[in-house]
Amino acid sequence: MNMKGRTQIHICMLMWLCWTVDATHLQGSFDTQDFFKFLVKFGFQKAESHRPQDSFGYIYGNITSDNEFHQPVTLVVLDKSTFVDFYHNRSLSIYGRELACQHMFKNIQYLAYDPDCNAHGKRDFLRRVPCPKGQLCQDEDAPSNVVAGHQFTYVISEVSQPRFWYMAIVACYRNRTTCQWHAYDTLTAPASFLNNSISVLHYDIHVVNGHPNNSDDHPLTYEFSFDQQNLLEMYLIFLLVYIVLLPMQIYAVRLQKHPVTKLFTISLLSEFVSLVLITSHLIKYASNGKGLPNLQTSGDILDIVSRTTFMLILLLLAKGWAVTRQQISRTGWIILMSIWVPYCAFHVFLYYWNRTEVDIISDVDEYQTWPGWIVLILRTTFMLWFLYELRNTMKYEHSSKKLDFLLHLGASSLVWFIYLPIVAIVALQVSPMWRYKLLLGITNSADCLAYCVMTGLLWPNRSGQYLLLTGSKYAGMDELDEFNEAPHIVRERERRQNSIDNPVVVVTNATSNHSTNRPNGDACADLLEAEDLDAELLTDLNKNSHIVA
């Protein structure tokens, strides 16, 4: 196989593994022509001193084949310190698999126990697979340690701190005479070319925290990697909150049909459905180690939709939509959509990138990648734009009730905008074993608090005081009355009353043919009733078109 073809295989294999490493009950097959297959990255918990056997990590299962293997290939289970070099050296297979096998096991062969080649080895890293059907694997020299009904068992005892371990299958074997490592395809290449022989093995492996015989004692942590333990409890708590919050919002939107409340209800409903889907996946995952990955993906996408829609609501309110104006100009909509739509696209792209392109051995989270930094920069840009629009809206607003609403909106929204960049920076200093739970917990908590605050601000008996309501023949009348008392109009009236030092104006009454001396204030009152000054007031209204639709 040429270099290009092998490179494409490695890329496809990497994308496949990144979408499947979440499962802890692994079932599948391995073809020796693929050379290397990553199986799982799993965080094992720290063993408890009072019950170490029950809190150890366990990897157990069966690996068999219907084909004849001339030499067994190798199942590898390594901690990170030894897996890094092993994993990186696999790329040498583009120059030759023989060379890759020698470099991949160069350091491991001196650490791993081998009855023939390294009897003094202290680490239990390797298994020769496939195992004989109905029998234990060749390297299982202590049958009492093997979980009943399975062919092999690894016991991971972390006594100091939780750590990630990695498991893979590689088409390399060790010569029992020379103790040198060789590639499996060098042994079978002529036969494969002439007879089109296939060497495929099938695996069924469990990776768990806790002894399999006592799995019922800790059902919420047994199947989960340490960095994902307690996620199910967290999602159940948030789901209970939204079960109360969503009916309240549906009740509110039925009482007061308003574009803002309708849009917010859509955002809240998306978040609720997202939580339902993800929680369903986690419940199933806790029972079988596989879960429902499609539900999780759908839930994650709906979560993105909910958050980006909520951000759109905040920007529209900051621009005064449905608060000081009924409509936004076409130019305003074009500018808003030209920034908001790319932000949504980058958010979805970040999700895809984090699932498919982040190297499995790296300890980076989604906000430590370049798509993640772009999302954080765009979010910060939205925050500054939000403050700018809110300042302009408040500058021309005179209603104390609306100003109070905008003030509370700005304070709570600023916290919602800024928390994610701050948490993403702080997370850099947090151990990868805790980082994922930290980011997820703070993100969901901040979103939940924001939805609760917005529900309170838009509650019908409050929002009617500052939202422009439609559907009534009197709608907008209070707004026009308040507009006549706007500061710039009051000042204009005062200016006219005090101009020209309040001179005496002679007003002639055409019907009585005599003149009357009146102060300038009374003359202005008569003039305000005239059509020419009515037109002038309309001009003032047009100049302040941000107030009305």
Side-chain angles (χ1 to χ4, degrees), residues 22-289:
D22 289 336
T24 55
H25 183 188
L26 311 170
Q27 292 178 307
S29 60
F30 171 70
D31 190 338
T32 56
Q33 294 181 358
D34 294 334
F35 181 64
F36 180 87
K37 185 171 187 177
F38 184 88
L39 295 180
V40 72
K41 171 185 176 182
F42 193 84
F44 288 100
Q45 63 193 10
K46 178 183 175 181
E48 298 179 10
S49 58
H50 64 283
R51 55 181 191 95
Q53 294 291 337
D54 291 340
S55 57
F56 285 158
Y58 289 84
I59 303 175
Y60 62 97
N62 302 303
I63 301 181
T64 58
S65 177
D66 298 326
N67 310 121
E68 179 183 357
F69 275 68
H70 302 283
Q71 287 285 349
V73 295
T74 307
L75 174 68
V76 181
V77 175
L78 302 172
D79 59 13
K80 186 174 182 179
S81 61
T82 51
F83 185 77
V84 172
D85 289 337
F86 171 82
Y87 181 74
H88 286 157
N89 285 327
R90 88 198 189 285
S91 60
L92 295 176
S93 61
I94 62 176
Y95 303 108
R97 294 185 175 183
E98 189 80 6
L99 178 65
C101 288
Q102 294 172 6
H103 281 78
M104 291 172 75
F105 291 92
K106 181 179 179 179
N107 297 323
I108 297 175
Q109 63 185 348
Y110 300 112
L111 299 173
Y113 171 79
D114 189 297
D116 299 321
C117 299
N118 190 23
H120 301 289
K122 302 294 185 180
R123 310 304 297 271
D124 184 21
F125 284 156
L126 310 177
R127 293 289 187 277
R128 286 173 283 176
V129 293
C131 307
K133 288 188 176 181
Q135 303 178 32
L136 299 182
C137 294
Q138 301 176 53
D139 298 309
E140 292 294 344
D141 53 358
S144 61
N145 292 333
V146 179
V147 177
H150 298 87
Q151 296 176 303
F152 70 90
T153 297
Y154 287 89
V155 180
I156 311 297
S157 56
E158 292 293 353
V159 295
S160 58
Q161 63 181 359
R163 282 195 304 172
F164 283 114
W165 284 70
Y166 306 80
M167 182 165 56
I169 300 177
V170 60
C172 297
Y173 71 95
R174 195 172 197 177
N175 187 298
R176 312 314 298 177
T177 303
T178 64
C179 293
Q180 297 297 314
W181 287 92
H182 303 282
Y184 185 83
D185 65 345
T186 59
L187 181 68
T188 61
S192 299
F193 179 76
L194 296 175
N195 302 326
N196 194 27
S197 63
I198 300 176
S199 299
V200 178
L201 55 81
H202 306 280
Y203 57 85
D204 185 354
I205 304 173
H206 297 258
V207 187
V208 296
N209 271 307
H211 198 285
N213 294 337
N214 300 321
S215 60
D216 294 336
D217 296 339
H218 37 87
L220 299 180
T221 60
Y222 177 69
E223 295 282 359
F224 292 93
S225 172
F226 181 81
D227 61 313
Q228 296 185 358
Q229 287 182 350
N230 306 118
L231 288 185
L232 177 55
E233 298 97 308
M234 182 180 69
Y235 273 100
L236 285 173
I237 292 173
F238 284 119
L239 186 60
L240 290 176
V241 175
Y242 282 94
I243 286 177
V244 176
L245 193 61
L246 182 62
M248 291 175 59
Q249 180 57 31
I250 293 176
Y251 171 77
V253 78
R254 293 184 63 185
L255 288 181
Q256 180 173 284
K257 299 184 183 301
H258 192 276
V260 173
T261 55
K262 290 179 181 178
L263 193 58
F264 174 65
T265 304
I266 293 174
S267 177
L268 186 59
L269 180 62
S270 300
E271 185 66 19
F272 174 76
V273 176
S274 169
L275 285 173
V276 171
L277 295 178
I278 296 177
T279 304
S280 300
H281 160 72
L282 292 175
I283 292 174
K284 189 69 174 179
Y285 190 95
S287 64
N288 65 3

Side-chain angles (χ1 to χ4, degrees), residues 357-373:
E357 300 297 332
V358 175
D359 199 332
I360 193 62
I361 68 169
S362 65
D363 291 328
V364 302
D365 59 75
E366 57 185 330
Y367 297 112
Q368 296 177 36
T369 61
W370 68 263
W373 287 115

Side-chain angles (χ1 to χ4, degrees), residues 161-162 164 226-227 363 426-438:
Q161 63 181 359
F164 283 114
F226 181 81
D227 61 313
D363 291 328
V426 172
L428 295 175
Q429 310 302 320
V430 178
S431 167
M433 301 300 298
W434 301 92
R435 186 184 300 156
Y436 181 71
K437 290 184 283 191
L438 174 69

